[in-house]
């Protein structure tokens, strides 16, 4: 380099780097606005004191694996010399000076290629010890280092005690040769300035990190708030510490919010708190996604969420016990899943119909004497009957002469079909000569082809029939017959295609209508439950008051009319209760209220309620208990409703004889057998009696009335309690209904947490 040819003066005077001069230098460095300015000021002062024209500050990079230039003086422009030295390269004098905290001088005899100076002195400066810092070279390790053309200035005055608690920080590269006395003063100043520079670099890094963290936090906050799903972070005390805007919409209120919205938010907080309590008490086996019902504060509609909860906690134990919960709205997904299931059922039925049509088509093809081929829009044969296989299908194991004849037939037919495919015509007739592969005899045929088009007029397939022209007269007759068959086949395929399209349109329309009807039904039942029962209860109440002569005496005809009014109102109330019970069960809004009850108390209440019906029909009622003191942990109302439904059914369909209730138990279950001597049920109807709105006698003139919901509700209630129910019957002799319930019922995780108004036990159910 041109700089290496300059004559560098050797400094012999000791600079004044002690006392106030040194304090001013350190003070000026510490007051610099940033690390680069401080480093540049330090090397400028050292270069000025040593009379050097140029100087560099080379410091450890982050991570501390290389030494790079961070400041320079005496160079033209703002560009820094590009120097990058590995801390593993102990053959480089700059690296040795930085890692040993000893000065190194190179007089220019063997210049280092990376250094833009011919003669220079490297003055190291330390920094406070930190994790991952390169270790300082010991004297023994330093003795093993060989530097060609450079000298390690171990004889300079260096306080080795300064190495305690220090790590390599870098070097100041001065374009000058320094004597030992001056070098000691300069190294003393560098050793004091090094930690100051390191702390300034650490402060700058901390500020940059803080700025990046603030930006990341703002970005994460914006991301979380932009998510459509509510997100809630809860600490170990179950207090909400962070929630996004969607969660605030569901769980927080403002000063200007209406009373209705405040109540909805209060309900949401109660439901969410209950969910957190259950999740906290749940085991790891039950952890994962849970369902949670909330209320839309604006619309008042029900929302179904799938809650995904994860624990938070760093490696240092921070955020221990905190959890983040993501509430995924699955309301529409649940509705779509139900609708998709119905669509799948319809598609399966359509597939069965299509398979039936395909089998019918295959049967037609197999029973037609002439060769028939069906090709797609790319002229590939997709279907052919046995007669066509004899002309166009060859096995690899057969002799090559037959394979060659089959190939020739296929080429002729494919050429014909390719021309027909690109033509606008929908039908085509052409004669060609094929060969019978088995005998090699020439076979003149007439190919009659027709296109099967979709609704847009695009060809879906081509049906081709090959007529044998060997006997012209017979061929003409067969031609007319096959032409008719081809036309019928085309019509059937078109009809099947049009029917499938029409069914798809009808299914889509039915899907929308069913969704609309289901929504209207739910809204109607939710809004009209009390409105339907309140006037009927008023009718029953006032009729009872009049029958009790509260409003005065009654004539026999008035009393008879009131009795009929009261009976009809009670019957109507029973029908409405059945329908509302079914709606609540299907919507999952009839919760379980589990409590400890005795079997004797339940059966006493049931016998008292059913006894008037039994006496009215002159029947006998026998109840066998294993123990009246047997304690059940179950829903008392649901058990009574189940048994009353079965007993009222038995009374309703029994004209003479009696009813027997036999109760037995095993280790965990209780079995109720309700047997009667009634009309019985046919074996073919035993499965259908459990369906909604289903009675064995569906005629308009049936003998027994009712909604047909009693056994359906009974089965759903038994399932809710964790049991099962089944029936056995001999037609004309009687029936036996068996209910098996657990002695200790539990609330399943998918049961809704909220409590709604209970419906009174229904009157006698209907089969």
């Amino acid at each position: 380099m041109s700089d290496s040819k300059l004559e560098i003066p050797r400094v012999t005077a000791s600079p004044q780097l002690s006392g106030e001069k040194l304090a001013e230098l350190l003070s000026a460095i510490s007051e610099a606005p940033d690390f680069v300015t401080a480093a540049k000021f330090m090397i400028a002062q050292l270069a000025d004191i040593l009379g050097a024209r140029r100087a560099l500050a080379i410091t450890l990079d982050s991570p501390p694996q290389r030494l790079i230039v961070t400041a320079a003086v005496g160079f033209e422009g703002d560009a820094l010399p590009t120097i990058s030295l590995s801390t593993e390269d102990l053959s480089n004098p700059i690296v040795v000076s930085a890692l040993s905290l000893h000065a190194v001088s190179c007089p220019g005899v063997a210049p280092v290629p990376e250094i833009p100076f011919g003669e220079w002195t490297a003055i190291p400066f330390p920094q406070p010890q930190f994790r991952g810092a390169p270790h300082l070279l010991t004297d023994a390790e330093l003795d093993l280092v060989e530097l060609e053309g450079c000298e390690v200035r171990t004889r300079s005055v260096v306080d080795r005690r300064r190495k305690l608690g220090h790590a390599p920080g870098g070097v100041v590269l001065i374009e000058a040769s320094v004597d030992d006395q001056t070098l000691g003063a300069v190294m003393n100043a560098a050793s004091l300035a090094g930690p100051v520079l390191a702390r300034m670099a650490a402060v700058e890094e901390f500020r940059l990190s803080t700025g990046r963290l603030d930006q990341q936090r703002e970005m994460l906050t914006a991301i979380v708030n932009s998510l459509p799903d509510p997100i809630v972070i809860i600490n170990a005390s179950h207090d909400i510490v962070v929630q996004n805007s969607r969660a605030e919409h569901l769980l927080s209120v403002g000063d200007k919010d209406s009373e209705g919205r405040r109540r909805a938010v209060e309900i949401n907080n109660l439901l969410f708190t209950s969910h957190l309590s259950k999740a906290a008490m749940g085991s790891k086996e039950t952890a994962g996604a849970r369902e949670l019902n909330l209320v839309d504060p604006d619309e008042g509609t029900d929302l179904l969420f799938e809650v995904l909860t994860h624990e938070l906690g760093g490696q240092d134990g921070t955020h221990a016990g905190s959890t983040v919960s993501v509430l995924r709205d699955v309301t529409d997904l649940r509705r779509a899943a139900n609708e998709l299931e119905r669509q799948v059922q319809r598609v399966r039925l359509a597939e069965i119909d299509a398979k039936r049509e395909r089998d019918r088509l295959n049967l037609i093809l197999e029973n037609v004497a002439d060769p028939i081929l069906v090709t797609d829009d790319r002229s590939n044969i997709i279907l052919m009957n046995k007669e066509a296989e004899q002309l166009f299908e060859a096995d690899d194991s057969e002799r090559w002469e037959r394979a060659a004849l089959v190939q020739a037939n296929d080429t002729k037919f494919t050429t014909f079909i390719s021309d027909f495919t690109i033509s606008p015509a929908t039908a085509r007739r052409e004669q060609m000569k094929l060969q019978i592969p088995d005998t090699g005899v020439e076979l003149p045929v007439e190919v009659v082809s027709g296109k099967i088009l979709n609704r847009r007029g695009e060809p879906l397939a081509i049906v081709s029939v090959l007529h044998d022209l060997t006997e012209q007269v017979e061929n003409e007759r067969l031609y007319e017959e096959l032409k008719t068959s081809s036309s019928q086949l085309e019509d059937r395929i078109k009809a099947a295609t049009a029917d499938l399209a029409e069914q798809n349109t009808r299914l889509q329309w039915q899907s929308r209508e069913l969704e609309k009807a289901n929504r209207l039904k739910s809204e109607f039942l939710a809004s009209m439950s009390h409105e339907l029962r309140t006037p009927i209860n008023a009718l029953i109440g006032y009729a009872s008051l009049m029958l009790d002569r509260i409003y005065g005496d009654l004539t026999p005809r008035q009393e008879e009319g009131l009795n009929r009014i009261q009976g009809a109102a009670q019957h109507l109330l029973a029908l409405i209760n059945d329908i509302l019970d079914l709606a609540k069960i299907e919507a999952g809004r009839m919760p379980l209220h589990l409590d400890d009850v005795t079997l004797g108390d339940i059966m006493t209440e049931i016998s008292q309620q059913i006894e008037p019906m039994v006496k009215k029909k002159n029947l006998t009622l026998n109840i066998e208990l294993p123990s009246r003191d047997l304690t059940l942990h179950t829903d008392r109302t649901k058990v009574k409703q189940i048994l009353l439904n079965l007993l009222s059914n038995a009374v309703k369909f029994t004209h003479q004889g009696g009813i027997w209730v036999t109760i037995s138990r095993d280790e965990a279950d209780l079995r109720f057998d309700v047997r009667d001597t009634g009309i019985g049920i046919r074996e073919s109807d035993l499965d259908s009696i459990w369906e909604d709105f289903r009675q064995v006698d569906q005629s308009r003139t049936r003998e027994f009335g009712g909604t047909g919901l009693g056994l359906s509700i009974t089965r759903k209630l038994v399932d809710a309690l964790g049991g099962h129910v089944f029936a056995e019957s001999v037609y004309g002799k009687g029936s036996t209904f068996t209910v098996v319930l657990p002695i200790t019922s539990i609330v399943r995780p998918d049961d809704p947490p909220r409590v709604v108004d209970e419906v009174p036990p229904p009157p006698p159910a209907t089969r």
Side-chain angles (χ1 to χ4, degrees):
M1 298 181 185
S2 61
D3 291 338
S4 62
K5 298 178 182 180
L6 297 175
E7 183 178 351
I8 306 300
R10 183 176 182 85
V11 178
T12 57
S14 175
Q16 298 297 323
L17 287 177
S18 61
E20 293 183 0
K21 185 71 173 180
L22 179 59
E24 290 178 0
L25 174 63
L26 296 178
S27 176
I29 292 174
S30 62
E31 292 177 359
D34 52 54
F35 169 76
V36 174
T37 303
K40 191 172 183 179
F41 178 78
M42 181 185 73
I43 63 175
Q45 292 295 317
L46 295 180
D48 184 60
I49 292 173
L50 297 177
R53 187 172 65 87
R54 294 184 295 180
L56 296 174
I58 302 176
T59 59
L60 277 175
D61 196 6
S62 178
Q65 297 176 351
R66 305 195 69 82
L67 290 166
I68 61 173
V69 176
T70 55
V73 293
F75 292 88
E76 296 181 359
D78 296 332
L80 298 178
T82 303
I83 298 176
S84 179
L85 308 175
S86 173
T87 55
E88 302 293 333
D89 185 10
L90 296 182
S91 63
N92 193 300
I94 304 297
V95 177
V96 173
S97 176
L99 297 184
S100 65
L101 295 184
H102 283 296
V104 175
S105 296
C106 288
V109 178
V112 180
E114 292 87 352
I115 306 305
F117 305 152
E119 182 178 6
W120 47 266
T121 301
I123 302 170
F125 59 85
Q127 62 177 319
Q129 187 63 253
F130 62 94
R131 181 180 297 179
H135 76 282
L136 291 173
L137 295 178
T138 62
D139 293 338
E141 292 173 335
L142 193 60
D143 292 339
L144 299 177
V145 175
E146 295 182 1
L147 300 178
E148 183 179 355
C150 295
E151 176 188 2
V152 179
R153 307 284 291 276
T154 56
R155 292 175 297 174
S156 60
V157 181
V158 179
D159 188 358
R160 301 295 292 175
R161 290 176 299 175
R162 295 187 184 277
K163 291 188 177 182
L164 297 177
H166 282 175
V171 297
V172 176
L173 202 62
I174 302 295
E175 189 181 16
S177 179
V178 186
D179 59 74
D180 290 343
Q181 180 180 0
T182 305
L183 183 62
V186 172
M187 288 188 64
N188 179 60
S191 65
L192 294 177
V196 177
L197 290 174
R199 286 185 175 85
M200 292 185 68
V203 169
E204 284 190 20
E205 182 66 25
F206 175 76
R207 289 175 179 173
L208 293 175
S209 300
T210 302
R212 289 193 295 267
L213 288 176
D214 291 340
Q215 293 178 355
Q216 292 175 358
R217 182 180 62 185
E218 293 175 357
M219 181 178 64
L220 290 176
T221 302
I223 292 174
V224 170
N225 285 329
S226 64
L227 293 176
D229 296 329
I231 298 177
V232 181
I233 299 179
I234 302 159
N235 60 15
S237 302
H238 289 176
D239 295 328
I240 296 177
V241 294
V242 176
Q243 57 184 349
N244 64 353
S245 57
R246 177 59 176 159
E248 291 179 353
H249 176 74
L250 294 174
L251 303 175
S252 300
V253 296
D255 297 336
K256 298 181 180 180
D257 289 343
S258 63
E259 185 64 25
R261 191 181 191 284
R262 291 177 180 272
R263 291 180 181 177
V265 171
E266 183 178 355
I267 293 174
N268 288 344
N269 280 280
L270 290 175
L271 295 175
F272 188 62
T273 303
S274 175
H275 168 80
L276 293 177
S277 301
K278 290 182 179 180
M281 294 185 294
S283 60
K284 293 182 178 179
E285 290 77 6
T286 61
R290 295 170 178 261
E291 290 188 351
L292 173 64
N293 288 93
L294 297 179
V295 180
D296 190 334
D298 295 333
E299 303 294 336
T301 57
D302 292 338
L303 298 176
L304 179 62
F305 290 93
E306 183 182 60
V307 184
L308 302 175
T309 303
H310 300 280
E311 294 185 359
L312 297 177
Q315 297 180 352
D316 55 354
T318 57
H319 307 295
S322 299
T323 59
V324 57
S325 298
V326 180
L327 284 67
R328 184 177 301 163
D329 191 349
V330 295
T331 306
D332 295 336
L333 183 62
R334 178 62 56 84
R335 295 174 182 170
N338 295 334
E339 183 59 30
L340 181 60
E341 184 177 356
R342 290 192 290 270
Q343 289 285 358
V344 169
Q345 294 296 332
R346 298 189 187 99
V347 170
R348 288 177 179 172
L349 294 176
E351 288 178 352
I352 294 174
D353 293 338
K355 184 178 182 299
R356 188 181 298 112
E357 290 296 328
R358 184 185 62 189
D359 294 340
R360 188 180 304 168
L361 175 62
N362 290 335
L363 181 62
I364 294 174
L365 293 177
E366 294 299 329
N367 288 279
V368 176
D370 286 343
I372 298 179
L373 300 94
V374 180
T375 55
D376 59 14
D377 56 350
R378 297 184 180 180
S379 303
N380 298 318
I381 298 175
I382 58 176
L383 181 64
M384 56 183 172
N385 60 357
K386 291 182 179 179
E387 286 72 14
E389 290 177 356
Q390 296 176 1
L391 296 174
F392 296 97
E393 190 173 82
D395 194 345
D396 295 338
S397 62
E398 296 179 355
R399 53 191 178 86
W400 69 270
E401 294 89 349
R402 188 183 190 284
L405 293 177
V406 170
Q407 182 65 32
N409 291 341
D410 184 72
T411 301
K412 292 180 181 179
F413 181 75
T414 304
T415 302
F416 165 75
I417 293 297
S418 299
D419 294 339
F420 180 42
T421 301
I422 62 178
S423 68
T426 58
R428 188 172 183 179
R429 183 192 301 267
E430 184 174 313
Q431 294 183 2
M432 66 177 62
K433 293 182 179 180
L434 303 177
Q435 289 181 312
I436 301 176
D438 294 333
T439 61
V441 176
E442 187 175 81
L443 178 66
V445 296
E446 183 181 38
V447 182
V448 179
S449 299
K451 294 181 180 178
I452 300 175
L453 307 178
N454 57 18
R455 291 185 300 175
R456 296 187 298 271
E458 300 171 347
L460 294 177
I462 297 176
V463 179
S464 301
V465 181
L466 280 65
H467 298 293
D468 187 359
L469 299 180
T470 305
E471 298 180 0
Q472 187 67 32
V473 176
E474 184 67 16
N475 189 40
E476 290 293 333
R477 187 184 64 82
L478 292 177
Y479 168 72
E480 294 297 329
E481 182 181 346
L482 290 176
K483 183 179 179 181
T484 303
S485 299
S486 176
S487 177
Q488 292 176 353
L489 179 62
E490 182 178 354
D491 292 340
R492 288 178 182 176
I493 295 177
K494 288 182 178 180
T497 304
D499 185 58
L500 286 176
E502 182 181 354
Q503 289 182 10
N504 184 40
T505 304
R506 190 184 308 118
L507 288 176
Q508 292 177 355
W509 177 81
Q510 290 176 353
S511 172
R512 293 191 296 268
E513 290 299 317
L514 285 175
E515 181 179 357
K516 178 180 178 181
N518 185 49
R519 184 180 70 253
L520 293 176
K521 182 201 74 173
S522 300
E523 294 175 356
F524 173 77
L525 291 177
S527 62
M528 296 298 293
S529 59
H530 292 290
E531 284 75 1
L532 288 173
R533 287 185 296 202
T534 299
I536 297 176
N537 286 327
L539 287 175
I540 296 173
Y542 280 111
S544 298
L545 293 176
M546 295 181 71
L547 288 173
D548 292 339
R549 306 305 195 274
I550 298 299
Y551 297 104
D553 294 333
L554 300 173
T555 65
R557 293 185 63 183
Q558 290 175 337
E559 184 175 1
E560 180 184 359
L562 288 174
N563 284 325
R564 291 185 179 182
I565 291 173
Q566 188 180 41
Q570 290 176 345
H571 180 67
L572 181 58
L573 180 61
L575 297 180
I576 292 174
N577 283 338
D578 281 349
I579 296 174
L580 293 178
D581 277 353
L582 179 64
K584 283 192 174 184
I585 292 173
E586 288 181 345
R589 299 181 62 181
M590 184 171 284
L592 297 179
H593 301 281
L594 303 181
D595 199 1
D596 292 335
V597 296
T598 59
L599 180 61
D601 293 342
I602 293 178
M603 297 311 299
T604 298
E605 295 177 7
I606 292 173
S607 62
Q608 290 175 354
Q609 294 186 35
I610 205 68
E611 185 176 2
M613 299 174 60
V614 174
K615 290 183 177 180
K616 185 177 181 180
K617 299 189 70 172
N618 295 323
L619 302 176
T620 61
L621 176 63
N622 298 305
I623 299 177
E624 298 179 9
L625 302 177
S627 172
R628 294 187 60 85
D629 297 331
L630 177 62
T631 301
L632 306 177
H633 185 72
T634 186
D635 190 317
R636 182 192 194 101
T637 303
K638 302 297 185 300
V639 174
K640 287 178 59 181
Q641 187 171 355
I642 292 168
L643 296 178
L644 282 174
N645 282 353
L646 297 180
L647 285 171
S648 60
N649 251 3
V651 173
K652 179 178 180 180
F653 295 100
T654 302
H655 300 299
Q656 60 181 359
I659 301 167
W660 290 264
V661 180
T662 304
I663 305 175
S664 58
R665 65 163 296 180
D666 56 14
E667 294 182 359
D669 297 324
L670 202 62
R671 175 173 174 148
F672 299 82
D673 291 306
V674 180
R675 181 171 60 88
D676 61 60
T677 57
I679 62 175
I681 307 170
R682 293 184 178 86
E683 184 176 357
S684 60
D685 295 327
L686 282 177
D687 293 333
S688 63
I689 61 175
W690 305 102
E691 298 176 1
D692 297 341
F693 304 102
R694 181 62 183 265
Q695 290 184 325
V696 174
D697 184 5
Q698 295 281 21
S699 65
R700 296 178 180 270
T701 59
R702 60 178 180 264
E703 178 183 358
F704 304 99
T707 60
L709 293 175
L711 291 179
S712 173
I713 293 175
T714 298
R715 191 171 201 173
K716 290 179 171 62
L717 292 177
V718 171
D719 291 341
L721 292 175
H724 59 277
V725 60
F726 56 90
E728 298 176 352
S729 180
V730 178
Y731 186 67
K733 294 185 178 181
S735 305
T736 301
F737 285 81
T738 301
V739 175
V740 179
L741 294 175
I743 296 177
T744 301
S745 297
I746 60 174
V747 178
R748 291 176 290 183
D750 57 350
D751 287 340
R754 60 180 157 183
V755 178
V756 297
D757 295 337
E758 282 290 349
V759 179
T766 58
R767 286 185 186 147

